Amino acid sequence: MMDEKMIQLKNKINGEEAELFREFYYGRFFSGDITLCEEDRAATLTFHKGTCIDVAEGIPNTGIDIGVSGSKEDWEKFVTHKSLSVATNRGNSNNLTTLGGAIRFRQNFNVVAQLIRVYASIR
């Protein structure tokens, strides 16, 4: 089920969302892996200059570059507001968790935020 959603996510990010993702959210500057985890399932999307070039199940052998993790309830709460800032604020309940290096995550915050917004719209 998650695999189908990740293929849909790749197609949306490279298709109808491509210009917005690459230009407004600075995706064109991002090359690397973004791992999304929901419950015990994980998928990693590989990007080169804002284009998703691969989708794989699980966590890469090289480890997590950056990503977001949460329970089903955490993701369902995110869908109601779609703000990564709110979703990762420790003062709230049912928060998503950021993955990977803090500085790398922060540098690519807009890219991850838009990617998970699009994911939330198809999950």
Side-chain angles (χ1 to χ4, degrees), residues 69-123:
S69 176
S71 69
K72 183 178 179 184
E73 293 79 20
D74 301 340
W75 281 102
E76 286 172 0
K77 183 177 177 192
F78 176 76
V79 170
T80 67
H81 56 74
K82 295 187 178 178
S83 169
L84 185 56
S85 296
V86 171
T88 56
N89 183 319
R90 291 188 176 115
N92 297 322
S93 62
N94 290 102
N95 287 340
L96 296 173
T97 303
T98 61
L99 305 171
I103 292 173
R104 176 106 164 112
F105 189 91
R106 197 71 208 141
Q107 288 172 329
N108 296 289
F109 187 86
N110 288 336
V111 170
V112 176
Q114 182 60 9
L115 182 70
I116 68 170
R117 279 187 210 105
V118 175
Y119 171 63
S121 73
I122 62 175
R123 65 174 289 283

Side-chain angles (χ1 to χ4, degrees), residues 13-112:
I13 286 295
N14 289 341
E16 63 193 73
E17 297 285 336
E19 185 176 350
L20 186 65
F21 182 73
R22 285 200 279 276
E23 300 304 321
F24 187 78
Y25 293 103
Y26 306 109
R28 70 182 181 274
F29 298 112
F30 181 75
S31 292
D33 295 325
I34 300 176
T35 301
L36 302 180
C37 302
E38 185 170 342
E39 298 295 337
D40 60 346
R41 305 274 315 207
T44 300
L45 295 95
T46 301
F47 289 86
H48 179 70
K49 297 183 180 178
T51 299
C52 184
I53 58 173
D54 191 29
V55 176
E57 189 173 342
I59 296 171
N61 292 337
T62 55
I64 293 175
D65 185 9
I66 57 176
V68 178
S69 176
S71 69
K72 183 178 179 184
E73 293 79 20
D74 301 340
W75 281 102
E76 286 172 0
K77 183 177 177 192
F78 176 76
V79 170
T80 67
H81 56 74
K82 295 187 178 178
S83 169
L84 185 56
S85 296
V86 171
T88 56
N89 183 319
R90 291 188 176 115
N92 297 322
S93 62
N94 290 102
N95 287 340
L96 296 173
T97 303
T98 61
L99 305 171
I103 292 173
R104 176 106 164 112
F105 189 91
R106 197 71 208 141
Q107 288 172 329
N108 296 289
F109 187 86
N110 288 336
V111 170
V112 176

